[in-house]
């Protein structure tokens, strides 16, 4: 479909993937032979201009569209999506730092507070968009597992942050794109090439360098935080969290755009809150923080996590997924910086080597997927 923009023809795909059945009024003056949706002056019936919609102006009626005199199109700010990504990474990293600073609150209880914040944010959106609270009947099973696996990933990640170095847990979570490709190949029959296998091996190597199991590195493991048992538990929790997060990505890809993303977040928050409350009563860990500092940190963790999610969503709305995924590796950089400055814990060379392996594998996966999407888009245009 060719729309009229500033007197020049520009190819713009229809939002629904199909050409809308709109009567075309005139041909573009550029001699392309294509038609323009903006009506010619004097050729529309009286009052028809108010009913016509210009496709190049986000649905505004024609007298207020880009062809109207004095109307200026808002220029896009270059790099804004990448800036949002960096800001999101910073907010997530600060929230992780505050989680390390909490002394008397279990990670499951922190997750429960995070779910409450998400519910409070999503509920007005569900009411506004009239999506309902259960979703389509054929998608409820997928939504349930998306909520269960997503909330489980959050709880396990928070536990890993509390019992192992901040940078180590953050690096392990960055192997998620590699596991996503593997699970998509298994369950969605997507292509899995030799490059994907290589990136998977790189990610596994990075995780091994961070975990440093005694049967490979000996019994004298240095540079860990606390006991090696806690370090190993945190590593297992981080890996399980990563696989759970990758599974949620596969489920969301399976569901596609048939379910509003607010509904997906709603399932995530509700199922997560229910699971956290049950787990806290079983473990007898439910209690309010004793000091005011922990209460403030809990609120800040909820707000920072919510802000990071908002900015990441906005980045994906205005920027391609490939550059966003690559720029999100700033999470690792911020985690190392905050760990050194505020936790006085210098990373070992094993951790640095593992971080390089994991970041290289996740970045390689993101770049490859990005190039494939661009190649597919070019073929569709041809």
């Amino acid at each position: 479909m060719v729309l009229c923009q500033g007197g020049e023809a520009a190819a713009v795909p229809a939002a629904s993937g199909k050409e809308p059945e709109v009567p075309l009024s005139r041909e573009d003056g550029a001699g392309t032979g294509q038609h323009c949706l903006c009506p010619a002056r004097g050729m529309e019936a009286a009052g028809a201009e108010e009913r016509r919609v210009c496709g190049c102006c986000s649905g505004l009626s024609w007298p207020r569209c880009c062809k109207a005199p004095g109307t200026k199109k808002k220029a896009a700010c270059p790099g804004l999506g990448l800036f949002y990504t960096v800001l999101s990474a910073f907010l997530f990293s600060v929230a992780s730092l505050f989680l390390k600073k909490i002394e008397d609150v279990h990670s499951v209880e922190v997750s429960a507070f995070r779910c409450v914040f998400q519910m409070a944010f999503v509920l007005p959106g569900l009411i506004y968009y009239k999506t309902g609270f259960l979703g389509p009947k054929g998608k409820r099973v997928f939504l349930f597992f998306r909520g269960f696996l997503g909330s489980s990933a959050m709880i396990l990640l928070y536990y890993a942050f509390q019992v192992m170095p901040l940078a180590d847990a953050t690096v392990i979570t960055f192997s998620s794109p590699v596991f996503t490709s593997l699970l998509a190949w298994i369950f969605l029959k997507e292509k899995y090439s030799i490059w994907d296998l290589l990136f998977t091996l790189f990610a596994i190597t990075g995780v091994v360098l961070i975990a440093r199991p005694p049967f490979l590195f000996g019994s004298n493991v240095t540079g860990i935080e606390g006991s090696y048992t806690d370090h190993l538990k945190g590593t297992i929790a981080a890996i399980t969290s990563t696989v759970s997060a990758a599974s949620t990505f596969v489920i969301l890809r399976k569901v596609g755009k048939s379910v509003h993303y607010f509904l997906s977040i709603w399932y995530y928050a509700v199922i997560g809150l229910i699971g956290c409350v049950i787990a806290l009563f079983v473990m007898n860990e439910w209690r309010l923080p004793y000091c005011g500092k922990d209460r403030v940190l809990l609120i800040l963790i909820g707000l920072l996590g919510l802000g990071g999610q908002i900015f990441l969503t906005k980045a994906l709305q205005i920027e391609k997924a490939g550059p966003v995924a690559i720029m999100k590796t700033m999470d690792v950089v911020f985690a190392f910086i905050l760990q050194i400055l505020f936790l006085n814990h210098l990373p070992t060379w094993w951790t640095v080597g593992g971080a390089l392996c994991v970041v290289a594998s996740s970045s390689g996966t993101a770049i490859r997927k990005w190039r494939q999407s661009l190649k597919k888009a070019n073929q569709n245009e041809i």
Side-chain angles (χ1 to χ4, degrees), residues 15-263:
S16 63
K18 298 180 180 179
E19 292 290 339
E21 296 180 359
V22 180
L24 303 176
S25 57
R26 65 184 177 93
E27 291 191 355
D28 180 46
T32 60
Q34 302 287 347
H35 293 285
C36 175
L37 289 181
C38 294
R41 294 184 179 87
M43 295 192 67
E44 294 292 335
E49 292 177 348
E50 294 295 335
R51 297 192 301 270
R52 287 297 302 274
V53 173
C54 178
C56 54
C57 303
S58 302
L60 293 177
S61 57
W62 178 72
R64 292 179 289 145
C65 78
C66 60
K67 294 295 291 181
T71 302
K72 294 183 179 180
K73 187 177 179 180
K74 185 178 179 180
C77 179
L80 183 61
L82 300 182
F83 172 75
Y84 283 154
T85 307
V86 175
L87 184 57
S88 170
F90 178 74
L91 294 178
F92 281 134
S93 299
V94 175
S96 303
L97 174 65
F98 288 163
L99 182 63
K100 295 285 291 184
K101 289 292 187 179
I102 290 181
E103 298 175 355
D104 298 319
V105 182
H106 197 276
S107 59
V108 179
E109 188 172 349
V110 179
S111 303
F113 276 94
R114 170 76 181 274
C115 291
V116 170
F117 273 94
Q118 286 191 331
M119 289 176 62
F121 171 74
V122 172
L123 183 60
L126 294 178
I127 297 174
Y128 178 79
Y129 289 107
K130 300 179 181 179
T131 61
F133 296 96
L134 297 178
K137 290 185 178 180
K139 305 295 181 181
R140 291 175 186 175
V141 175
F142 294 108
L143 287 172
F144 172 81
F145 281 106
R146 182 267 184 271
F148 175 75
L149 292 171
S151 57
S152 300
M154 175 182 62
I155 296 171
L156 291 170
L157 179 61
Y158 281 3
Y159 175 77
F161 279 141
Q162 286 188 332
V163 299
M164 67 185 303
L166 179 64
D168 291 10
T170 303
V171 168
I172 292 176
T173 60
F174 262 81
S175 58
S176 179
V178 179
F179 288 109
T180 302
S181 299
L182 180 61
L183 293 175
W185 170 60
I186 295 174
F187 295 103
L188 302 181
K189 308 303 179 183
E190 294 186 2
K191 186 178 180 181
Y192 192 80
S193 66
I194 189 66
W195 283 105
D196 295 311
L197 178 60
L198 181 62
F199 294 143
T200 302
L201 294 177
F202 257 92
I204 294 175
T205 301
V207 172
V208 170
L209 291 177
I210 293 173
R212 280 164 283 165
F215 67 89
L216 290 178
F217 293 84
S219 58
N220 296 324
V221 180
T222 60
I224 64 174
E225 184 178 282
S227 65
Y228 181 77
T229 301
D230 288 339
H231 182 82
L232 185 59
K233 289 180 180 179
T235 301
I236 295 174
I239 295 174
T240 309
S241 171
T242 301
V243 176
S244 298
S247 301
T248 62
F249 294 149
V250 174
I251 292 174
L252 290 174
R253 191 176 298 176
K254 175 70 175 179
V255 173
K257 297 181 180 180
S258 60
V259 176
H260 198 280
Y261 68 93
F262 270 166
L263 194 59

